Structure formats: C-alpha cells, structure tokens
C-alpha cells in the first residue's frame, strides 16, 4: 500500500480531461460547484464543451438528458446530496427511465465532507440511486480506481452514478489494478469471515483484516465498487466459503451496500451479517477523522463487527 | 433562465394556457399572476394568441422563428375541452377519461366540429 493521499474528486477531474482528449462527444455540466467537484479542469481545457448551469440541479439533469439524446456523453456533477436528492425525480424520469447515456458524477459524498456538516454531506445517495431501474452505481475506493471507473462509465451505454469524495484518501492500488464494472475485486483471501466494502471503507477493511489476522481470524476482503448491478456470485461465494459477512460503507446502513448484500444473502445464503455504516442518523460538522470515529467507521469498528460475525457462526450449521 | 442566459433563439415554447389545473382554477390554486410579464422578466420574448386559431398559431411561430437573441414563448389562450360541450371549461375533465356513451357523444361533437 502506498502512503500517497489523493481525493477521488481530484482523480475525477484529471480523468475527465484525459477522457475529453480521447472522446470529443464527452461534455460536462456543473451546478456552480466546478471548483469543488474539479470539473473546472475540463472547463479550462474544453470551454466549448463545458456547461455552467448555475444552482439549478434539476435543470442540469434535464439538459444532460437532452445532450445525451443528441448523441453526447454528458458528465453532470455536483455534490452528492444535491445531484441525487434535489434532482432525484429528473434523474429518474428524464435520465433513467428513457435509459439516456448520462453520467452523474457526484463528489462530497458521505460524512468526510467534514466541516460543512449535515446539509452538505450525503449518507443517503447510494440508496436514492440504487433504487432507480437502469442506473449503474459505482463507488470507487481510491484515485486509481476512480480514473478507471470514469473510463468504464463512459464506455457503458446507459446512465451511471459515480460516487466520489472530498477528502484525501490513501492510494490503495497500483497501475496494474483493473476495475471491472459489475465485478467485486478480491483484495485479500480469507476463510473465516468476508468483509465487503466500498469507497473509503475499503482501506479500513484492509487494515481491519490485518488486525484480525493477528488474532487468528482470516478475513476475506472484497472491494464492491459496483454497488449496482451487485456481483451476487461473489457475495454468495463469500457467504458459502466463510460463513459470515461484514459490510462497510460511508453511507446509511438503510438502502446502501449493506442492504444490497443483505438482500442477496437473505434470498440465497443467510449467514450471520454485520453492517458497518451510519445508523439512521444525520452527519454533523467535524474533521473527517473525528466524524469517522464518531459514526463508527474506523478499521477498529470493522474489526469489531467481524469478530461479532465470527462469534455468531458458533452453533450454526456451516454453509447454506 | 438557462434558455435566456444562453440566448437560445431557436427555442420556442408554447403554453397551453387554459387556466385550469387538477385542483381547480390556477388563480385559486396558486396564481402565476401575469404570466406574460413573468416570462419577459426571465428574458423571453412573448406572444399572446388565441390557441384555437391556427392562423394565429402559424403567425406566432413564424415570428418566433425570425426573432433573434432570445427564446420565444407563445401563450396560447385556450379552453380546456374545446369542442365538446359538456367538457368545455370544466376542471373535472383534467384528469378523468370519458367512458362509454361519453366517448360517443364527445367524438360525435368533435366530428361535427372538424367536418361541419
């Protein structure tokens, strides 16, 4: 693991410029946050392909839908709460329902937005996007995966939601890493418990797995960067082979990755499950590190959940 | 706002202004006050016409096509249910489909209106 720190929004800004050079049909829209979402990098290089929409997210989604209908590949960016919350109905009816080729790339997801507090944080966006048919939902874990996910989103014919963060996070992967849309990435093998994580919680999951190994618990770690369509096979295999599952996300446990995994396990392989995530609460103002501790989203929290899941296996018949 | 900001003079909106919405008269539900002045304030060029007169419709569309620098809005004053005596101006028909004999009567009246 490299100690290098890069935010996924910074990686997005860079990836957009690269993509813009390769694909002239890529256009970018923003709602008065281009300096924060980093679409400003694209705007500087391709001013004629950048559309400043003002604080009008619903209008931005409608315009992006129109541009897609005219053959462009629009990337529409804002903070996650505004892109998915304020403009939800436009995303549903104008983009997803007609299956238009719009990429909604939202930054400032989760609580690591930090000091701006609950109004600008988003712990509901995965749920809001996952529930809409046709939408693909991607939550990259680091800068390397973000750059590949931007390319994959552009290559995928249809609507995509890309969830990105504000804070600097460790670069986990080297250039050899390959993001595959719809596939979980196995980052660590283990037989006692499987930790299924997305976004910034992948780093915490890897750290937790190390800690658990010292106690004799071998944890498998899956990076579930595509939350939808969920890699059901990987989830069921993890449950069958380890007998206990932990999910970890910087999002509400209602409707997010934990829910998606629980839906699959409930139908196909019910094993002990513990969810690490935000427990039906709003965020608040604080530094990212303070907030991660306050909401139980540290490596220690993941390790504790894994121990509980392993303990819950006792007395149960193995497998499913 | 976007259309005016970007000076989209190849864009023309037609408002079917029948003054009724599903809960009642627009002026009662939540008035838009003076719609033409509101649109103008947002940077649109506005024409007001009788929405049941095709010559006025074509005339306004032609003027809108010639107009430069601003998007155009044609406020077409209409009567909801026009041509069907028992539907005209009645808010109840905003979201209700006619059934059976009502369909027959409505189509008969419309047929007469089209082929007098």
């Amino acid at each position: 693991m490299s100690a290098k720190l890069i935010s996924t929004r910074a990686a997005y800004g860079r990836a957009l410029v690269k993509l813009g050079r390769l694909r002239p049909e890529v256009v970018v829209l923003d709602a008065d946050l281009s300096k924060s979402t980093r679409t400003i990098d694209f705007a500087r290089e391709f001013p004629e392909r950048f559309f400043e929409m003002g604080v009008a997210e619903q209008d931005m989604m409608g315009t992006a839908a129109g541009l897609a209908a005219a053959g462009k590949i629009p990337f529409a960016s804002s903070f996650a709460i505004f892109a998915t919350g304020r403009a939800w109905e436009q995303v549903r009816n104008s983009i997803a329902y007609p299956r238009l080729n719009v990429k909604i790339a939202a930054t400032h997801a989760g609580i690591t937005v930090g000091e701006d507090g609950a109004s600008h944080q988003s712990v509901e966006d995965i749920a809001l996007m996952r529930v809409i048919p046709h939408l693909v939902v991607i939550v990259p874990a680091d800068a390397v995966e973000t750059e590949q996910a931007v390319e994959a989103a552009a290559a995928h014919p249809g609507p995509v939601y890309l969830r990105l963060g504000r804070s600097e996070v460790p670069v986990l992967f080297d250039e050899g890493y390959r993001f595959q849309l719809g596939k979980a990435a196995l980052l660590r093998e283990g037989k006692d418990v499987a930790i299924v994580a997305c976004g910034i919680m992948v780093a915490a999951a890897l750290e937790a797995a190390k800690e658990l190994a010292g106690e004799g618990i071998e944890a498998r770690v899956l990076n579930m960067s595509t939350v939808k369509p969920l890699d059901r096979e990987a989830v069921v295999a993890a449950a069958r082979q380890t007998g206990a599952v932990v999910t970890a996300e910087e999002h509400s446990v209602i409707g997010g990755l934990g829910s998606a995994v629980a839906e699959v396990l409930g139908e196909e392989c019910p094993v002990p499950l513990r969810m690490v995530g935000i427990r039906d609460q709003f965020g608040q103002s604080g530094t990212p590190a303070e907030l991660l501790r306050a909401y139980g989203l540290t490596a220690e929290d993941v390790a504790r959940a894994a121990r509980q899941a392993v303990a819950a296996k006792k007395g149960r018949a193995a497998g499913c | 706002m976007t259309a005016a900001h970007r000076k989209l003079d190849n864009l023309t909106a037609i408002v079917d202004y029948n003054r009724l919405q599903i809960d009642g008269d627009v002026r009662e539900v939540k008035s838009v006050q003076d719609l033409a002045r509101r649109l103008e304030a947002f940077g649109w060029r506005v024409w007001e016409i009788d929405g049941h007169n095709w010559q006025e419709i074509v005339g306004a569309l032609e003027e809108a096509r010639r107009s430069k620098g601003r998007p155009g809005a044609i406020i077409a004053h209409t009567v909801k249910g026009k041509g069907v005596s028992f539907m005209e101006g009645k808010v109840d028909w905003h979201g209700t489909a006619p059934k059976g004999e009502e369909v027959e009567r409505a189509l008969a009246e419309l047929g007469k209106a089209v082929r007098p």
Side-chain angles (χ1 to χ4, degrees), chain B residues 18-19 23 27 29 31 35 38 47 71 75 81 93 100 112:
Chain B
N18 64 31
R19 292 169 179 270
D23 267 2
R27 286 166 297 192
V29 177
S31 177
L35 182 61
R38 288 207 165 186
W47 292 270
I75 299 178
W93 290 101
K112 255 189 236 158

Side-chain angles (χ1 to χ4, degrees), chain A residues 22-314:
Chain A
L22 294 172
R23 306 192 66 164
E25 68 273 38
V26 168
V27 296
V28 176
L29 303 89
D30 204 300
D32 198 29
L33 287 169
S34 64
K35 290 191 191 90
S36 299
T37 63
R38 302 297 167 83
T39 59
I40 192 151
D41 301 347
F42 185 97
R44 286 196 176 119
E45 183 155 340
F46 306 104
E48 74 290 353
R49 286 155 62 189
F50 176 78
F51 299 90
E52 171 60 76
M53 299 305 295
V55 187
E57 294 78 9
Q58 300 175 336
D59 187 14
M60 174 169 76
M61 294 308 173
T63 304
L67 287 163
K72 304 293 181 194
I73 304 177
F75 278 72
S77 286
S78 180
F79 288 2
I81 184 59
F82 307 129
T84 68
R86 188 172 292 163
W88 187 85
E89 192 255 325
Q90 282 71 22
V91 171
R92 178 188 183 271
N93 281 346
S94 301
I95 294 173
Y97 178 36
R99 218 189 276 253
L100 287 169
N101 199 20
V102 174
K103 318 305 167 186
I104 300 154
T107 64
H108 295 60
I111 54 173
T112 50
V113 172
E115 292 80 352
D116 280 2
S119 64
H120 286 57
Q121 297 167 351
S122 172
V123 299
E124 309 89 349
D125 55 299
I126 297 176
L128 286 170
M129 294 294 99
R130 192 170 77 85
V131 74
I132 300 177
H134 301 162
L135 255 184
V136 166
V137 177
I138 306 173
V139 187
D142 78 344
V144 170
E145 187 165 56
T146 299
E147 294 204 22
Q148 295 186 18
V150 169
E151 281 172 38
H156 171 79
V160 175
Y161 176 61
L162 204 55
R163 183 189 212 235
L164 306 164
R166 169 182 188 262
S167 62
E168 295 193 324
V169 291
V171 176
L172 302 177
F173 308 124
D174 58 31
E175 295 306 320
Y177 180 80
R178 284 290 161 264
F179 165 77
Q180 274 184 288
L181 192 68
K183 292 276 174 228
L186 177 66
L187 302 185
R188 186 183 173 113
E189 193 47 278
K191 58 175 182 12
D192 300 322
V193 60
I195 306 171
V196 182
C198 68
I200 64 162
M201 295 307 290
V202 173
L206 287 168
E207 211 182 309
K210 243 191 244 169
E211 191 181 318
L212 292 163
E215 305 164 18
I217 298 174
E218 296 301 325
R220 177 181 301 189
V221 177
L222 290 174
N223 174 18
M224 196 60 83
S225 39
T226 311
V227 175
K228 187 187 168 184
L230 191 74
D231 188 345
R232 296 175 73 95
E233 267 179 52
V235 170
V236 173
R240 287 220 170 97
Q241 291 157 17
T242 70
V245 175
V246 171
T247 59
E249 63 196 306
E250 188 199 3
H251 183 273
S252 174
V253 291
I254 301 173
L257 173 68
S259 293
V261 168
E263 286 157 16
V264 171
L265 294 182
E267 280 189 340
E268 296 194 34
C269 188
V271 296
L273 170 70
R274 293 293 179 274
M275 294 183 197
V276 175
I278 293 154
R279 317 294 304 191
D280 200 16
Q281 283 175 294
F282 286 105
Q284 58 183 305
S285 181
T287 67
E290 283 169 348
L291 293 173
L292 290 172
R293 272 197 304 277
Y295 287 87
L297 300 180
T298 66
E300 252 169 74
D301 296 298
V302 177
R304 187 178 314 116
R307 283 182 214 112
Q308 289 170 0
V310 169
K313 288 203 283 186
K314 290 207 178 92

